[in-house]
């Protein structure tokens, strides 16, 4: 059986439950949800990322609420105090995302389907990694999650860069789970690490390559010199769910492969 009235405080549980054919259990979603598109049309929006309409959620009479990370701790605590069962996942890696699919499926009573879906996601990653292993050269890649202040990419993003055929230029920062630990005081470290490709995904706003290229001293960066500044839409890469493991990594792989071909 499992829970019958689920509220999803972020996008990834919604995407997973739709993929498993369990969307009828969902009674409320995050306002930031864009995947799958029909979820926005079908389900009431009851939360942002750092805030939620607690009373609206309670009116939906959920028997299970799913959220993500320390950022939603206050929302979770309030719901728990009001007698609601809440699961806050805190996965930050590619393996963690695959495992999250399995665990969510088990929690809602469709473990076998979730395992099959997780295996399918893993096979897709393996295929991309096998393809990128044949590239004659691996680019150095700088991923920017925010511009003011500059925040570098989180762990699953750095791992997907590697799967797509590149090398993240801030591997020591990517393992930091909190965004504040991935803030750069200025752009000098990026200049020093000389990325061949710059990927931008500014959460919730459009990436502006011309602004990035105009930063002091950045004209010397190979990626800026060669015009290798690319946007990856934030719903595709900054949600720790299926989107990142499918469309997100595929978009990265296309950019890396095109770069490798231009190296001759």
């Amino acid at each position: 059986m499992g829970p019958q009235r689920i509220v999803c405080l972020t996008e990834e549980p919604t995407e997973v439950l739709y993929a498993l054919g369990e969307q009828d259990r969902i009674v409320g979603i995050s306002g930031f949800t864009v995947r799958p598109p029909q979820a926005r049309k079908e389900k009431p929006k009851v939360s942002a990322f750092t805030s939620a309409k607690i009373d609206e959620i309670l009116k939906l009479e959920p028997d299970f609420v799913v959220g993500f990370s320390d950022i939603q701790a206050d929302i979770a605590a309030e719901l728990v105090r009001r007698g609601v069962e809440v699961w806050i996942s805190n996965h930050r890696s590619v393996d963690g995302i695959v495992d999250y699919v399995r665990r969510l499926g088990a929690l809602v009573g469709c473990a076998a389907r979730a395992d099959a879906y997780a295996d399918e996601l893993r096979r897709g990653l393996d295929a991309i990694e096998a393809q990128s292993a044949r590239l004659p050269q691996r680019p150095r890649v700088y991923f920017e999650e925010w511009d003011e202040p500059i925040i570098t990419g989180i762990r699953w993003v750095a791992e997907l860069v590697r799967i797509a055929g590149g090398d993240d230029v801030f591997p020591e920062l990517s393992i930091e789970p909190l965004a504040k630990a991935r803030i750069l005081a200025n752009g000098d470290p990026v200049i020093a690490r000389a990325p061949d490709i710059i990927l931008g995904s500014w959460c919730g706003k459009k990436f502006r390559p011309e602004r990035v290229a105009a930063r002091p001293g950045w004209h010397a960066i190979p990626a800026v010199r060669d015009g290798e500044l690319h946007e990856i839409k934030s719903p595709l890469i900054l949600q720790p769910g299926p989107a990142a493991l499918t469309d997100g990594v595929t978009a990265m792989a296309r950019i890396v492969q095109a770069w490798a071909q231009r190296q001759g």
Side-chain angles (χ1 to χ4, degrees):
M1 277 286 287
Q4 300 301 304
R5 298 184 63 78
I6 300 171
V7 168
C8 301
L9 298 176
T10 53
E11 182 177 75
E12 61 279 356
T14 301
E15 187 171 8
V16 170
L17 291 172
Y18 268 83
L20 297 178
E22 298 294 337
Q23 62 270 24
D24 290 349
R25 300 176 189 240
I26 300 172
V27 295
I29 62 170
S30 160
F32 290 121
T33 303
V34 294
R35 292 169 64 97
Q38 63 264 42
R40 281 191 76 79
K41 301 186 189 112
E42 296 171 350
K43 308 293 182 183
K45 300 169 205 57
V46 292
S47 71
F49 195 45
T50 56
S51 62
K53 301 171 184 169
I54 300 293
D55 290 337
E56 295 293 313
I57 291 173
L58 294 172
K59 278 182 200 164
L60 295 170
E61 300 181 351
D63 52 8
F64 192 50
V65 173
V66 188
F68 172 70
S69 90
D70 49 285
I71 293 174
Q72 296 197 318
D74 291 344
I75 302 170
E78 181 59 26
L79 289 168
V80 169
R81 279 194 288 269
R82 306 284 284 269
V84 180
E85 186 172 336
V86 180
W87 179 44
I88 297 289
S89 62
N90 217 5
H91 54 288
R92 308 291 170 127
S93 65
V94 168
D95 285 345
I97 297 172
V98 175
D99 186 52
Y100 169 79
V101 170
R102 298 185 196 280
R103 286 190 294 156
L104 181 57
L107 284 167
V108 304
C110 54
R113 250 175 303 141
D115 283 342
Y117 182 45
D119 290 345
E120 180 189 321
L121 291 170
R122 176 61 70 186
R123 281 194 299 275
L125 292 172
D126 290 346
I128 289 172
E129 193 163 19
Q131 193 177 19
S132 66
R134 295 195 290 271
L135 293 173
Q137 199 175 343
R138 294 178 70 87
R140 295 182 303 279
V141 178
Y142 165 58
F143 185 97
E144 186 168 289
E145 200 174 292
W146 194 247
D147 59 331
E148 294 176 339
I150 294 173
I151 302 178
T152 64
I154 197 166
R155 181 174 169 185
W156 73 78
V157 171
E159 291 175 350
L160 291 173
V161 165
R162 182 186 55 74
I163 288 168
D167 293 314
D168 180 75
V169 296
F170 289 106
E172 77 284 6
L173 295 184
S174 70
I175 59 173
E176 295 286 352
L178 303 181
K180 64 183 178 187
R182 301 193 308 279
I183 292 174
L184 301 181
N186 56 52
D188 293 349
V190 183
I191 300 169
R193 300 197 187 195
D196 302 298
I197 294 172
I198 292 174
L199 301 176
S201 190
W202 295 347
C203 189
K205 69 177 182 181
K206 188 168 172 51
F207 176 63
R208 300 285 181 190
E210 69 284 357
R211 282 193 208 160
V212 174
R215 289 173 185 165
W218 282 45
H219 61 276
I221 296 173
V224 175
R225 182 193 66 214
D226 300 337
E228 291 283 357
L229 294 92
H230 306 273
E231 178 177 34
I232 296 184
K233 303 278 189 210
S234 52
L236 296 187
I237 198 66
L238 295 183
Q239 304 270 13
L245 305 192
T246 53
D247 294 355
V249 69
T250 299
M252 280 184 180
R254 273 199 297 267
I255 292 164
V256 169
Q257 285 159 15
W259 175 88
Q261 283 166 1
R262 283 194 285 275
Q263 303 316 297

